Amino acid sequence: MTRPTQRLDKWLWQARFFRTRSLAAREIAAGHCRVNGARVTKPAAAVGAGDVLTFVQARRVRVVRVTGLPDRRGPAPEAQAHYEDFEPPQQQGAAAPADAGGPPEPEPGGRPTKRARRNLETMRRRALE
């Protein structure tokens, strides 16, 4: 008898690790996912209960064990019942504020603010005088 399985991209999406199924498929196709230690590049790879998944999510490596196959993409507590997370608790708490959904921190060297642009224009005008 065969064990019940599900597509990897669908499982990652239903377990709420990725916002869309196509994002999950893109990460898998890029080779950023492993099932039981073996690199997987096909989104249709089968996963079932007991499999260990390793993948990159939000600039950190996640390691989870599949404990069940969800029927739908439900609320987060329902999704969390289908996997066991191996991430240490102190890292989970430290990463929570960064993933809180607030605006991202501006990158140095990015687009200047309106005030910075005006100051730059003023300095350039004075240099030409």
Side-chain angles (χ1 to χ4, degrees), residues 61-79:
V61 176
R62 300 290 304 262
V63 180
V64 297
R65 175 180 285 132
V66 178
T67 58
L69 303 176
D71 296 327
R72 66 186 184 110
R73 180 179 164 90
E78 184 180 312

Side-chain angles (χ1 to χ4, degrees), residues 3-18 20-48 51-56 62 64-66 68-70 73 83:
R3 70 179 181 142
T5 59
Q6 190 174 39
R7 285 177 60 110
L8 178 58
D9 62 338
K10 188 172 182 181
W11 189 90
L12 288 170
W13 171 68
Q14 287 182 340
R16 296 190 157 272
F17 287 108
F18 293 96
T20 64
R21 189 169 165 187
S22 62
L23 280 175
R26 192 177 311 142
E27 287 296 313
I28 297 164
H32 299 155
C33 189
R34 294 176 182 268
V35 177
N36 297 325
R39 178 175 267 165
V40 177
T41 57
K42 295 193 177 198
V47 294
D51 288 340
V52 176
L53 306 178
T54 308
F55 56 93
V56 177
R62 300 290 304 262
V64 297
R65 175 180 285 132
V66 178
L69 303 176
R73 180 179 164 90
Y83 65 88

